[in-house]
Amino acid sequence: MHSSPTTAPTSVGAKKLTWFDDLLLLGIMAVLAGCGLIYEYLLSHYAGRVLGALEAAIYTMIGLMIVSMGIGAFAARKIRCAYTGFAILELSVALCGALAILITAAVIGFGQQLPMLIANTIGLPPDQLPQGGFIGSLQKLSEYLPYFWGVLLGLMIGMEIPLIARVRQSLCEAHLLHNAGTIYGADYIGAGVGAAIWVTLMLAIDIQLAAALTASFNLLAGFIFIWRFWDNIAHAKLLLAGHIIASGLLVLLASHGPQWEQQFNNLLYKDKVIYAKATRFQQLTFTERLRGNNLPAVYSLYINGRLQFSSQDEHIYHAFLVHPTLEASARHDKVLIIGGGDGLGLRQVLKWQPQQVTLMDLDADLVALFKNPDDTMPTRLRHALLKLNDDALNDKRVELVFDDAFNGADKLIRRGDKFDAIIVDLPDPSHPDLNKLYSDMFYLKLKELLSADGAITVQSTSPYHAPKAFISVGKTLASAGFNMQQYHHNVPSFGEWGWSIATLAGKAPRERLQPLTQLSIAEDWLTPGLIKGAFEFPGNYYQYADEVKVNDIGSMQLYQYHQQAWSENENLTLF
């Protein structure tokens, strides 16, 4: 008769630790370490992609989970039976890991819809939606849900190593001299494999599907453990039934979970979400707003929860981005666009009849959506996107380069390229990796690529909402040796927006544009008067400019300015 599973683990000392059991336990530990690392990435990735959270969420999540794992390792001492405890633990981890993102999406979506539900119920007008109080607290607390799941999963993951170590020790007649070292070795190797799986596989699939797949390995570990150590586990039949039920739930979550999660995420947007796609680098969401009186529908693109453009007014942004640059350039034969994978800025550039345009963007999947929209996209959206960019990405004069702009600029330099104009249309520096693309070193690279009589323009965030960030972009351009000036205009979807324009030699940009009485190309919206007026700022706007620092490479200065300015309005563009 085997010993009771409720006794101390060392009571099973009559059974030797066979090579098969040892290999099985170490293999289980390695698999679970990989799963634990993937859960960290999944939760922080969700916060960054869908909630539009600060990039610091990634580091906060990892830090919280590591601390929680330490606490969990201490708490594992309170579990009397390591065999039973481990079987229960893997069932719990699998359920929490698979459901965390879906439940978070549901709670956040409900919190955003609650004001409208209350207003519709009691007949409040749209401009008097209830805010603050309980509703405001619910919305704010829901943003911390990923961290709650991170702490909970961290506590449970932290228990895995001590329990496996106790099981391994209980199967050995003598003390295992290198028990801890062997277990940790398997754990570290498994975590490394998990990181590789995340980078090569998980980033390319839906985040809810990735969660379900990861949880399935926890369940598989639980099944194998129950099978092998059946006699040592209390209530083994009940736990086996729980694993079987959980397996059915995981199949359901893998097949329907991504759709459910997306429907919950769609509640975050005021307009109807008609298409969403997760690329290797970002979450893309397209919304549609239908209008009466035979007016065209309004289509908007959000990347990681932040508005990128609205078809209603994108022409304002892109006209100001492109036309002052090319008017200030001596020639327009060869143009470089960095970013702008939607082709909307490219559409404006092609009006100048350049001989060649090089467009460099990191995300090939995003460019593909605007170049050759796939069949899964609604037909009306496919037609709208190609009409918006005038099918510019399929123009034979366009060279597409898919690379990180910081490294891609080096490749263009090695190629010996020189451009008559450079247009930098990158996302705001809301991510540490983007900060380097607004640094003095990056602008020195662009300086090598720009012809001496050419001009460069950089989108520079909002001069109203983020004045220090806006001024810092301009000062950083100037520090790289450019003759820089700034201009701004209102883009209704974004509010007041700004750009920095610069030249290398000869007259400053504003001086080059001053004699302009008529644009060199056919343009039915932008006028010379609007361009000249855009260079005017309030008299005291730059009074504290001396206190704003240049964004030296590695300083993260611009990232900090941007985060400080927008932290109170992190989800401003979502609704």
Side-chain angles (χ1 to χ4, degrees):
M1 179 179 292
H2 62 78
S3 54
S4 169
T6 57
T7 58
T10 52
S11 65
V12 195
K15 187 175 181 179
K16 291 184 177 181
L17 178 65
T18 66
W19 67 268
F20 178 78
D21 286 333
D22 199 25
L23 187 64
L24 184 69
L25 290 172
L26 293 178
I28 288 175
M29 192 66 256
V31 169
L32 299 185
C35 291
L37 193 72
I38 291 174
Y39 285 133
E40 288 182 24
Y41 291 160
L42 278 171
L43 289 169
S44 56
H45 203 56
Y46 179 81
R49 277 194 170 191
V50 181
L51 304 182
L54 302 178
E55 185 58 29
I58 293 178
Y59 312 118
T60 303
M61 180 67 70
I62 293 175
L64 281 174
M65 289 194 71
I66 290 175
V67 171
S68 300
M69 287 163 64
I71 297 173
F74 283 114
R77 295 185 294 183
K78 299 295 184 180
I79 298 177
R80 292 183 58 194
C81 176
Y83 293 91
T84 305
F86 186 80
I88 295 173
L89 187 65
E90 291 317 298
L91 178 59
S92 302
V93 171
L95 290 174
C96 288
L99 290 169
I101 289 173
L102 190 63
I103 292 175
T104 301
V107 172
I108 292 174
F110 173 75
Q112 298 298 339
Q113 288 295 305
L114 187 58
M116 285 180 276
L117 291 173
I118 294 174
N120 292 335
T121 301
I122 62 179
L124 290 176
D127 61 344
Q128 295 184 16
L129 295 181
Q131 302 290 342
F134 167 75
I135 295 174
S137 299
L138 174 63
Q139 292 174 340
K140 192 63 179 177
L141 285 173
S142 66
E143 296 177 11
Y144 293 95
L145 264 182
Y147 300 124
F148 165 79
W149 291 112
V151 170
L152 184 60
L153 281 167
L155 289 170
M156 292 189 288
I157 291 169
M159 296 179 184
E160 291 173 341
I161 289 180
L163 292 181
I164 284 286
R166 284 167 56 186
V167 168
R168 192 166 176 261
Q169 179 63 57
S170 73
L171 294 173
C172 188
E173 293 177 344
H175 174 69
L176 287 175
L177 182 61
H178 301 294
N179 190 15
T182 305
I183 291 292
Y184 278 110
D187 181 77
Y188 295 148
I189 292 172
V193 173
I197 292 173
W198 169 259
V199 171
T200 57
L201 175 64
M202 296 298 192
L203 274 172
I205 64 176
D206 183 271
I207 196 167
Q208 178 58 48
L209 176 60
L213 289 175
T214 305
S216 68
F217 282 92
N218 287 102
L219 271 190
L220 179 62
F223 272 120
I224 294 174
F225 190 85
I226 291 172
W227 161 74
R228 185 60 183 167
F229 303 108
W230 180 274
D231 291 337
N232 302 89
I233 299 172
H235 312 296
K237 291 182 180 179
L238 184 61
L239 284 170
L240 180 61
H243 277 67
I244 293 172
I245 294 171
S247 298
L249 177 62
L250 286 189
V251 171
L252 189 64
L253 289 174
S255 57
H256 297 288
Q259 180 183 355
W260 294 339
E261 184 235 338
Q262 189 57 56
Q263 289 173 349
F264 289 133
N265 290 338
N266 293 351
L267 297 176
L268 295 173
Y269 300 90
K270 182 177 180 180
D271 296 336
K272 181 182 179 182
V273 175
I274 59 171
Y275 185 75
K277 180 181 178 67
T279 73
R280 181 179 179 81
F281 302 103
Q282 49 205 354
Q283 175 73 31
L284 311 176
T285 304
F286 293 87
T287 65
E288 177 186 56
R289 182 167 78 248
L290 299 177
R291 302 186 293 175
N293 301 321
N294 295 320
L295 294 172
V298 175
Y299 294 97
S300 300
L301 168 64
Y302 295 82
I303 295 182
N304 295 344
R306 295 181 175 89
L307 179 65
Q308 298 303 299
F309 73 77
S310 168
S311 63
Q312 193 171 20
D313 55 23
E314 59 79 20
H315 64 281
I316 301 175
Y317 171 86
H318 291 102
F320 268 104
L321 173 72
V322 171
H323 299 317
T325 318
L326 295 178
E327 287 288 4
S329 301
R331 292 178 309 279
H332 323 103
D333 296 334
K334 195 172 181 182
V335 180
L336 171 63
I337 302 175
I338 296 177
D342 50 32
L344 298 177
L346 175 62
R347 174 200 67 205
Q348 300 285 5
V349 169
L350 291 177
K351 293 180 180 180
W352 291 79
Q353 299 303 315
Q355 295 177 8
Q356 182 192 0
V357 181
T358 299
L359 188 148
M360 181 183 294
D361 198 284
L362 178 64
D363 197 340
D365 290 336
L366 180 148
V367 175
L369 285 180
F370 287 88
K371 187 175 189 289
N372 297 301
D374 59 51
D375 294 336
T376 61
M377 183 180 286
T379 302
R380 64 189 186 279
L381 179 59
R382 292 205 304 269
H383 292 162
L385 296 184
L386 292 176
K387 183 178 179 181
L388 270 176
N389 65 24
D390 202 20
D391 202 19
L393 291 164
N394 289 303
D395 193 290
K396 293 181 180 179
R397 295 168 290 177
V398 177
E399 175 195 19
L400 296 174
V401 178
F402 301 111
D403 205 340
D404 176 82
F406 199 82
N407 299 321
D410 291 331
K411 296 177 182 178
L412 297 180
I413 292 171
R414 286 195 293 269
R415 249 171 39 173
D417 284 347
K418 282 287 186 179
F419 297 94
D420 301 317
I422 298 177
I423 294 164
V424 184
D425 188 18
L426 292 167
D428 279 1
S430 58
H431 186 296
D433 285 346
L434 284 168
N435 186 78
K436 68 177 185 286
L437 299 180
Y438 289 85
S439 68
D440 55 346
M441 183 173 289
F442 182 61
Y443 293 148
L444 285 170
K445 296 181 181 186
L446 298 186
K447 185 179 178 181
E448 291 192 49
L449 291 170
L450 183 64
S451 298
D453 53 2
I456 178 174
T457 293
V458 178
Q459 91 79 11
S460 305
T461 194
S462 171
Y464 178 77
H465 292 290
K468 287 185 178 180
F470 175 73
I471 294 172
S472 179
V473 173
K475 292 186 71 171
T476 306
L477 259 178
S479 74
F482 288 98
N483 189 346
M484 184 282 308
Q485 292 169 318
Q486 294 184 295
Y487 61 102
H488 65 108
H489 194 78
N490 182 58
V491 182
S493 295
F494 296 107
E496 198 70 18
W497 212 256
W499 302 264
S500 301
I501 186 170
T503 55
L504 281 176
K507 294 181 178 180
R510 190 173 183 181
E511 292 179 74
R512 297 187 185 192
L513 295 169
Q514 195 59 42
L516 193 64
T517 58
Q518 183 177 348
L519 294 184
S520 303
I521 45 92
E523 167 62 35
D524 58 3
W525 185 83
L526 188 63
T527 67
L530 284 173
I531 293 176
K532 296 174 187 178
F535 285 88
E536 292 292 336
F537 284 85
N540 62 350
Y541 185 79
Y542 288 100
Q543 64 178 328
Y544 301 114
D546 291 342
E547 300 175 9
V548 177
K549 297 179 181 179
V550 168
N551 188 38
D552 297 319
I553 185 68
S555 70
M556 291 294 175
Q557 187 60 66
L558 183 62
Y559 170 70
Q560 293 168 12
Y561 283 148
H562 184 272
Q563 296 303 78
Q564 290 168 5
W566 291 98
S567 60
E568 295 182 0
N569 302 295
E570 187 60 33
N571 296 317
L572 181 66
T573 58
L574 274 174
F575 310 110

